[in-house]
Amino acid sequence: MSTITGHSELDAEPSGDKASTGRRGDRIFGGLATGSGIFVVVLVIAVGGFLLSQAVPALLKNDANFLFDRVWEVNDSGMRFGIPDLLYVTVVSSLMAMIIAVPIAVLVALFLTQYAPKRLASPAAYLVDLLAAVPSIVYGIWGFYVFRPYTTGFQDWLAEHFGWTVLLEGPVSLGTVFLASIVLAIMILPIITAISREVFAQTPSTHKEGALALGATRWEMIRTAVIPFGTPGVISASMLGLGRALGETVAVMIIVGTNPGIFRFSLFAGGETFASKIANNSAEFGSSSKVGAFIAAGLMLFILTFLVNAAARVIIERRKAFSE
Amino acid sequence: MKLPKHVALTSVALAGALALTACGSDNNSGEGDTGSDTGSSVSGTLNGEGSSAQKNAIDEAIASFSANNPDATVNYNATGSGDGVKNFIAKQVDFAGSDSALKDEAVDGVVETDQAAERCAGNPAWNLPLVAGPIAIAYNLPGVEGLTLDPTVLSEVMLGKIKNWNDPKIAALNEGVELPSTAISVFFRSDESGTTDNFQKYLSGSAPEAWTAEPSKVWPGTAGEGRTKSDGVAQGVKNVEGGITYVEWSYATDNQLGVAQIDNGAGAVELTGESAGKALAAAEVAGEGNDLKLSLDYATKEAGTYPIVMVTYEIVCSKGLDADKTTLVKSFLKHFASDETQGTLEEAGFAPIPAEIATKVNTAIDAIS
């Protein structure tokens, strides 16, 4: 933060502190950093390549339209599979989770950085981070066995009064997408909170003090200085959270029931996401073409996550122009 | 539990001295000729993998086997029949547990039985039925005990064609029982499962007109809700009044669910170890020689027989394993097939394999070399 002007001891003997390792250190470090960067890119390409190589043979054998047909019959006698139901449940449950989690996470982050006294802020932040350490199977079991009974009354009420909207139409299944969304929201809350907290804490104090000096109340200061500064960070945080929600496997598998054959757009129906479908059937992967069908679904999830992240990049880039 | 080599050697040397005591505790099966195989304790590690339906049974057998043979370790990884067979063929495990016998038709251009024979150095792999698991029709109707269903009505219930519990078709089978008008909520396995396959085999075998779908590991119905694994469907029924599902017996009893009696044409039969064992006794051996692939008569009208039973097999090489493994496999399977071990399985929700089958299994185990 502070810039040193004038004479100092360091200037007199620049090589006296053994900090310099010569050109070699520079080359090694540079090489390691570049190597790691390349490694990640190669890794992602390799994953994509693997998914493609496994999925393509199965897709070629597919007698149904992979993108539009609502069937999943992969057995030894023939292959007919399509993903629209999986795509719908994956996207809807994740979006619902985002709608619940993002506002709460932002508020928690604002509380921790702007309102809470220092002594309270760090233990509270630590507690929120702990939520991320709970394994997803625990969330699944808790969600279905402990939490579900408390939500049935609310779900029935929603279905009764707002059933005219397609999304909340009854009847209410036992394990609903709605319930899974709430549990997913709790699961992604710590990720979004942690990153939002970091960016809000970075708000330059000059911005904040400037706003307060102009007569802004604390809420107005947050609205005019903290939130605009933190928006790109919040978007990145949300995308990380969305990534986790899209790919969540075990919790969704335990909570949500399935209704094959009868597809409903309602949140009160059951369904399967890409990841839960793969996990649920992994024990009985027999032939390679059958595995391929599930890998093809995995490939779609890969592409979906890629698209979501790309979209997030575009939004962040645009926002930057306004916030700086 | 890995012991240093000299300890293992000493214990082998001691085995002769201990043989008398070992015989005393081990050989109560009543078949005199089994003494040579199970009498002395064996050592080594045996790995198996496969069906989760038989997990509790094989765990029980492994526990008592290791108590008798402290130097031997048997591992069983319940990942599912498909994985078990795959890893058996890939030589990752020494035997596989499977809900269905090895397939002899080609899938993706490969035949399982051929692959297994290749794995066993050119010798056929045998399917040995060692665990019989009755499938319970579990329901949740407070106040209604001993509900009776027949295959046709059961098919219609599971397909959602009969929607309420007081439907005249159900009432006709349950005279004197007051049935509530509660809606029927069907639960089924959302994952692919041997239980689903066997249950459908029963329905299509005993009520081919009501159940027209081709039996497979995937549930074909569209009524009700799918839940993952046996525990999932059992919990579903437990949580929803009017729920019904098919599930391994132990899950129904553990969750205190009602278990329906089945009327296959000779009167209602309650599910017990004995009534389920009878279904097995009536089964025909479809395999050749010592390959004991069974074919169950699902439509059996034999009195006192509970017909919805699934057989899980241990799939082993008839020849071709190295000598140590062969001894160990034989010794473990002998123990598993013994009356003593089979007798302990009922508590865990399984039916003991009946004497006729047990004799054939023992003959087959003796023939492994």
Side-chain angles (χ1 to χ4, degrees), chain B residues 317-333:
Chain B
C317 287
S318 57
K319 255 183 207 169
L321 286 177
D322 58 56
D324 293 349
K325 289 275 188 206
T326 308
T327 321
L328 198 53
V329 164
K330 288 177 76 162
S331 171
F332 174 67
L333 292 180

Side-chain angles (χ1 to χ4, degrees), chain A residues 108 112 122-133 139 186 189-194 197:
Chain A
V108 171
L112 292 175
S122 50
Y126 180 67
L127 282 179
V128 176
D129 289 351
L130 263 187
L131 278 179
Y139 275 114
I186 299 171
L189 192 63
I191 300 175
I192 306 177
T193 307
R197 199 179 68 220

Side-chain angles (χ1 to χ4, degrees), chain B residues 16-28:
Chain B
L18 290 173
L20 275 174
T21 30
C23 273
S25 65
D26 213 3
N27 204 16
N28 296 336

Side-chain angles (χ1 to χ4, degrees), chain A residues 242-256:
Chain A
L242 181 58
R244 171 152 196 207
L246 288 171
E248 180 46 49
T249 307
V250 179
V252 176
M253 185 175 101
I254 293 177
I255 293 171
V256 189

Side-chain angles (χ1 to χ4, degrees), chain A residues 61 76 144-145 148 173-175 253-262 280-285 287-290, chain B residues 79-83 86 103 107-108 187-188 190-192 217 221-222 224-228 231 235-236 239-240:
Chain A
K61 280 191 202 163
D76 303 335
F144 185 74
Y145 293 95
R148 188 194 56 79
S173 293
L174 182 67
M253 185 175 101
I254 293 177
I255 293 171
V256 189
T258 62
N259 307 113
I262 311 165
N280 203 6
N281 292 291
S282 62
E284 298 293 341
F285 284 171
S287 58
S288 59
S289 54
K290 191 167 159 185
Chain B
T79 50
S81 303
D83 273 0
K86 206 177 356 173
K103 290 188 198 73
V107 178
D108 277 358
F187 287 95
F188 54 89
S190 62
D191 51 326
E192 292 191 18
K217 288 183 174 179
T222 55
E225 182 173 343
R227 301 218 49 94
T228 183
D231 188 53
Q235 285 294 333
N239 278 292
V240 175

